[in-house]
Amino acid sequence: SAPAPVWTIRVVATYPHDHRAFTQGLIYLDGELYESTGQIGRSTIRRVRLEDGRVLQSVNIPDGLFGEGLVNWGDQLINITWQDGVGYRWDRRTLRRLGLWRYRGEGWGLTQNGRDIIMSDGTHELRFLDPATLEERRRVPVMDGGVPVPRLNELEWVNGEVFANVWMTPMIARIDPESGRVTGWIDLSPLEAQRQRWRGDDVLNGIAYDAAGDRLFVTGKNWPQLYEIDLVAPAR
């Protein structure tokens, strides 16, 4: 089959973002952002005000661990770490650590569809987990035109699709969660040109969706801005 079509973007609004935040997971929930950050010794779970980027609440993940994806489930937040095979449950209101869970392989991104926790691990597969036990239920390979799409990173559930950053690229894959087929690509390369600085791993990473307001937000690792964007369909 042919590769999926490419969508472009229109920037609706720009908001401040902590340029020291090595963004790994991003959620919009009840009017605020929740964000997980990475790097050993700097990994945090935080609650952030959208309008000015102010960090309202923050906790460190345990020492020596490299924080990765973040997802909400009920009154909890759930996060993973990169190469340690361990994640944590947190109380969403207080950010108090509630418990620990383990998994095989690497941890990259998390989202949820109301039934499953969905996890990426740096490969071309998505794992679907039981939210109560966090045991793996199944895996779905992600393909575009018959070709595997590796390095799936931060995830977001948007209107029945999984949106996935592809690490070290300016692209977001739109994925059918049942078949794993990439239905479209979102090209965010114009945002990279607006960044005020560049380091090798300061790449696009961070997708949050406001379902009630139908707003889509994106940012990157150590980016000083967070963007609200509209998607522009490819010309026919």
Side-chain angles (χ1 to χ4, degrees):
S1 60
V6 178
W7 297 58
T8 55
I9 62 164
R10 180 177 67 87
V11 175
V12 176
T14 303
Y15 304 93
H17 179 251
D18 181 2
H19 69 274
R20 298 162 297 183
F22 195 79
T23 304
Q24 303 286 52
L26 193 66
I27 306 166
Y28 183 90
L29 199 58
D30 297 335
E32 295 175 323
L33 294 170
Y34 291 84
E35 185 174 16
S36 58
T37 68
Q39 303 285 24
I40 292 175
R42 295 172 49 199
S43 295
T44 64
I45 307 294
R46 48 176 65 183
R47 184 168 58 90
V48 179
R49 189 159 59 200
L50 169 66
E51 289 75 17
D52 59 7
R54 181 182 174 187
V55 178
L56 303 174
Q57 198 174 5
S58 179
V59 295
N60 297 327
I61 73 164
D63 287 343
L65 300 181
F66 195 115
E68 286 279 349
L70 181 72
V71 67
N72 62 295
W73 187 262
D75 58 1
Q76 295 182 3
L77 299 173
I78 299 169
N79 85 297
I80 48 179
T81 58
W82 180 25
Q83 295 179 316
D84 301 286
V86 62
Y88 297 95
R89 292 183 184 266
W90 308 80
D91 181 271
R92 199 183 102 195
R93 184 179 63 83
T94 64
L95 298 189
R96 179 173 62 90
R97 185 152 43 101
L98 301 175
L100 174 150
W101 63 288
R102 297 188 181 276
Y103 50 88
R104 294 183 180 275
E106 295 188 357
W108 286 44
L110 291 174
T111 190
Q112 54 110 333
N113 60 8
R115 302 181 306 277
D116 311 282
I117 301 294
I118 307 170
M119 174 179 167
S120 64
D121 57 13
T123 70
H124 74 293
E125 293 184 320
L126 295 177
R127 307 183 189 187
F128 289 72
L129 314 179
D130 183 315
T133 65
L134 297 174
E135 293 292 326
E136 186 174 326
R137 288 172 165 167
R138 66 187 186 279
R139 296 193 185 198
V140 174
V142 176
M143 313 284 283
D144 179 28
V147 178
V149 180
R151 302 196 306 272
L152 300 173
N153 200 359
E154 218 273 292
L155 307 176
E156 184 73 5
W157 183 261
V158 181
N159 292 329
E161 294 182 306
V162 177
F163 282 24
N165 286 129
V166 178
W167 185 56
M168 297 300 288
T169 80
M171 307 299 288
I172 291 174
R174 302 178 63 167
I175 303 165
D176 180 327
E178 298 304 318
S179 68
R181 182 175 64 90
V182 175
T183 62
W185 292 95
I186 304 168
D187 183 2
L188 282 90
S189 53
L191 298 185
E192 291 200 331
Q194 299 183 39
R195 290 186 302 169
Q196 297 178 2
R197 60 183 187 156
W198 166 261
R199 294 185 306 191
D201 52 5
D202 286 359
V203 295
L204 173 73
N205 202 55
I207 313 167
Y209 182 59
D210 169 15
D214 191 26
R215 296 187 295 171
L216 185 64
F217 304 99
V218 296
T219 190
K221 302 174 187 291
N222 298 316
W223 285 21
Q225 285 94 29
L226 178 143
Y227 300 93
E228 180 184 340
I229 61 170
D230 278 344
L231 305 185
V232 180
R236 295 187 177 184

